[in-house]
Amino acid sequence: MASSRVDLDGNPIKPITICMIGAGGFIGSHLCEKLMTETPHTVLALDVYNDKIKHLLEPETNPWHGRINFHRLNIKHDSRLEGLIKMADLTINLAAICTPADYNTRPLDTIYSNFIDALPVVKYCSENNKRLIHFSTCEVYGKTIGSFLPKDSPLRKDPAYYVLKEDESPCIFGSIEKQRWSYACAKQLIERLIYAEGAENGLEFTIVRPFNWIGPRMDFIPGIDGPSEGVPRVLACFSNNLLRKEPLKLVDGGQSQRTFVYIKDAIEAVLLMIENPARANGHIFNVGNPNNEVTVRQLGEMMVKVYSKVSGDPPLENATVDVSSKEFYGEGYDDSDKRIPDMTIINRQLGWNPKTSLWDLLESTLTYQHRTYAEAVKKVIAKPVAS
Ligand SMILES: NC(=O)c1ccc[n+]([C@@H]2O[C@H](COP(=O)([O-])OP(=O)(O)OC[C@H]3O[C@@H](n4cnc5c(N)ncnc54)[C@H](O)[C@@H]3O)[C@@H](O)[C@H]2O)c1
Ligand SMILES: O=c1ccn([C@@H]2O[C@H](COP(=O)(O)OP(=O)(O)O[C@H]3OC[C@@H](O)[C@H](O)[C@H]3O)[C@@H](O)[C@H]2O)c(=O)[nH]1
């Protein structure tokens, strides 16, 4: 496997050591899996949790045993961080609070997590001349220019007013009371800091802006492997509703638009960045699938159909219900109206294109959700409520 692998310019790929912070999360678990099964690289996996990568850490008979080492630590306060970054050739920082339900209910934790806690990582990489791949977000673009045009303006249909370009589009956030944007603002400032470290001190960096990556192991199902009152991201919210046979809640009518990309497609893009530093350094990359655009209402309706197919149950009648954002997320919520990534830069630098359609990615993801959770949800529903 390992020795014959070459990069995009035909050079042999040498095995490296990667310090992956946030390796126990959704994206981290898929990236670790890819690195273990398809590459010779070694991973120092840092996180406070490891449930999603347990299958890679155990048993000792795994062919990659010894190439992945888990370090349980909180980067807020752990003196081991600099040493681990020094031991690696490349650091990938995925650690963040990144769930909309947290942005306006835990704004301080959100700002600290996405900006303050990331500062030492940038500093240690810069001081020790280590390459950094930092995970930002599509949310740094905020709202589209088109959303400020009159509702009936024909310009709303012009891509110049909504396609999001790394090197051209402005970042448009709501007012300070709309704390939804605290996350986006913290991510924007850390991007600017990394960029400045590159410009002034020569830090070798790549910034990734994910556009709604979804797939197995995303977030949690409330009351099963996460808190009963917890509100995960939309894929897990809708999966939870489907598993419990309750209507899917459409926030403010589900009119916002998103493009969804399959996690396995997106991880291919990250691997190209890891293994082609000369093409990836100094760049900010949109990673998404512009062909998979739907409104949140359309996403819900499609998930109802796909879940019926994979579970064998008839689709729910009255499958959706409208809720206000204030009721669902609390005061201070706002939303991104539309997110279409421009793909020019990632295409030119890495030749990457997403492959999987929304229907196909939902089919494999909901098959996983059904297999993993249906029985556990049935048991919880059957339990009499304690009086
Ligand atoms: N999934 C997406 O579509 C998406 C979209 C935009 C941006 N992102 C960004 O990608 C990154 C990873 O996202 P994800 O979807 O895998 O989220 P996730 O919540 O599943 O993973 C984040 C991981 O970081 C860990 N972590 C957080 N704070 C930590 C700390 N102080 N010390 C150690 N570990 C810590 C968490 O325990 C978690 O396992 C985040 O930076 C997020 O903002 C993701
Ligand atoms: O049950 C639900 C959950 C969510 N939604 C809506 O679905 C849309 C998508 O919500 P998600 O929870 O997936 O999160 P968003 O797309 O708003 O942001 C996401 O993308 C940017 C990343 O940085 C973050 O990981 C995440 O914040 C929003 O319009 C939200 O209001 C519902 O209508 N019903």
Side-chain angles (χ1 to χ4, degrees), residues 21-331:
I21 307 169
F26 163 58
I27 296 176
S29 72
H30 286 274
L31 188 53
C32 286
E33 207 167 78
K34 183 88 172 170
L35 290 165
M36 289 306 108
T37 55
E38 291 181 30
T39 81
H41 307 309
T42 296
V43 173
L44 310 174
L46 282 52
D47 206 305
V48 279
Y49 306 111
N50 67 7
D51 310 25
K52 295 184 184 186
I53 52 170
K54 272 232 162 80
H55 62 295
L56 300 173
L57 304 172
E58 301 160 355
E60 295 194 353
T61 48
N62 275 331
W64 51 80
H65 182 70
R67 273 204 295 121
I68 179 163
N69 299 297
F70 178 68
H71 301 263
R72 192 179 301 278
L73 62 84
N74 186 332
I75 58 164
K76 273 183 194 296
H77 41 68
D78 200 302
S79 58
R80 289 173 292 170
L81 180 62
E82 184 171 12
L84 289 161
I85 289 176
K86 275 187 182 170
M87 278 167 68
D89 304 288
L90 161 70
T91 292
I92 302 180
N93 190 6
L94 293 148
I97 289 177
C98 52
T99 306
D102 290 323
Y103 305 163
N104 49 311
T105 53
R106 300 170 57 202
L108 285 176
D109 286 344
T110 301
I111 295 167
Y112 271 77
S113 168
N114 284 284
F115 182 65
I116 308 284
D117 299 348
L119 283 177
V121 177
V122 180
K123 179 170 164 264
Y124 297 146
C125 287
S126 189
E127 286 174 357
N128 294 290
N129 296 318
K130 300 292 183 179
R131 188 179 169 220
L132 172 66
I133 298 182
H134 184 82
F135 272 71
S136 181
T137 173
C138 56
E139 199 138 312
V140 294
Y141 294 110
K143 297 169 188 255
T144 61
I145 310 172
S147 69
F148 294 90
L149 292 168
K151 286 261 177 297
D152 55 356
S153 167
L155 291 177
R156 277 186 175 244
K157 298 216 164 65
D158 180 342
Y161 290 84
Y162 62 78
V163 172
L164 303 169
K165 297 187 176 178
E166 297 94 327
D167 52 354
E168 283 180 27
S169 298
C171 302
I172 309 173
F173 303 155
S175 63
I176 303 299
E177 306 89 78
K178 302 278 185 220
Q179 294 198 86
R180 156 93 191 201
W181 304 109
S182 298
Y183 165 76
C185 190
K187 285 281 204 204
Q188 188 196 144
L189 190 54
I190 199 76
E191 278 200 25
R192 289 188 185 275
L193 185 109
I194 292 167
Y195 197 88
E197 277 291 348
E200 287 193 33
N201 297 325
L203 172 69
E204 290 186 340
F205 73 87
T206 301
I207 289 170
V208 187
R209 291 183 180 165
F211 280 64
N212 292 78
W213 300 7
I214 61 174
R217 295 198 291 269
M218 186 165 197
D219 299 336
F220 57 90
I221 297 299
I224 304 297
D225 56 0
S228 308
E229 301 306 317
V231 180
R233 286 170 284 187
V234 69
L235 175 83
C237 284
F238 285 175
S239 300
N240 183 38
N241 299 142
L242 291 165
L243 287 156
R244 293 173 191 270
K245 302 190 196 312
E246 46 182 50
L248 280 56
K249 292 183 177 153
L250 301 178
V251 172
D252 293 336
Q255 292 312 306
S256 298
Q257 287 162 281
R258 295 287 188 272
T259 49
F260 293 93
V261 64
Y262 191 35
I263 183 70
K264 291 187 194 296
D265 288 355
I267 290 294
E268 296 273 353
V270 183
L271 187 58
L272 286 167
M273 292 174 208
I274 293 172
E275 299 193 323
N276 293 275
R279 288 167 176 258
N281 282 346
H283 288 284
I284 299 176
F285 291 116
N286 286 343
V287 181
N289 188 337
N291 305 319
N292 281 348
E293 192 189 28
V294 278
T295 62
V296 174
R297 177 178 290 278
Q298 288 165 334
L299 172 76
E301 289 166 354
M302 197 185 277
M303 285 180 69
V304 169
K305 284 192 197 134
V306 174
Y307 191 67
S308 165
K309 181 178 174 198
V310 303
S311 66
D313 296 336
L316 284 177
E317 279 176 42
N318 305 321
T320 60
V321 60
D322 289 1
V323 293
S324 73
S325 53
K326 191 172 167 193
E327 196 185 323
F328 193 80
Y329 287 116
E331 202 74 63

